[in-house]
Amino acid sequence: MSWESVYRLVKRIPRGKVTTYGELARKLALPGGARAVGYAMAATPTGRGIPWHRVMGAGGKVRMPEPYASLQRKLLASEGVGIESGSVDMDRFGWSPSKRGARAPARKKNNRGRK
DNA sequence: CATCTGACGACCG
DNA sequence: GCGGTCGCCAGAT
């Protein structure tokens, strides 16, 4: 059950969005157990359809050793997630478990004639 | 059963 | 804003 739950949530993350270890931990009723979540992710077998790269640290910052960090940035950027100085804008790409689109993008693209 | 570690988070200087 | 410390949980030895 343990890590399976984590994987499940991670798999739920929609493309182009990211979440944090803390959020996952909280959703799993493990406040402060973000480390456990991170540990689980570290053991996450690649090639299982688990978008581990969509899991960021607090504040949307990259929390992992190379070369994973670089790979993550690359994958995220490939999904349209803008990264600034190694950090992701959680206000726009932050995704909350079970709270689908809680932080929906502000959609501030071209005004299409009106603001 | 005791101890250390780890892809974390919050706090303090 | 950055770096160091403590606290948290689960797994491995």
Side-chain angles (χ1 to χ4, degrees):
Chain A
M1 163 188 183
S2 321
W3 299 9
E4 287 277 326
S5 310
V6 182
Y7 300 149
R8 182 153 181 150
L9 282 174
V10 175
K11 283 198 264 187
R12 286 179 56 171
I13 304 174
R15 179 172 167 289
K17 294 283 184 75
V18 299
T19 188
T20 64
Y21 297 99
E23 284 296 301
L24 293 174
R26 188 169 186 128
K27 209 69 204 158
L28 296 171
L30 296 174
R35 283 187 108 174
V37 177
Y39 195 73
M41 298 309 295
T44 300
T46 51
R48 286 262 196 264
I50 305 173
W52 59 269
H53 57 273
R54 286 177 193 156
V55 184
M56 313 294 293
K61 288 184 293 201
V62 180
R63 279 302 262 235
M64 58 186 90
E66 298 291 338
Y68 298 104
S70 301
L71 180 61
Q72 180 172 41
R73 291 189 224 164
K74 183 173 158 190
L75 290 169
L76 289 175
S78 193
E79 293 185 352
V81 178
I83 299 180
E84 297 261 337
S85 307
S87 303
V88 177
D89 190 337
M90 296 304 285
D91 184 59
R92 295 174 53 180
F93 305 104
W95 176 81
S96 304
S98 303
K99 281 276 185 149
R100 184 171 35 112
R103 313 236 180 223
R107 194 141 262 16
K108 63 171 192 58
K109 297 255 295 208
N110 48 317
N111 322 323
R112 208 182 335 168
R114 182 100 323 245
K115 189 183 313 219

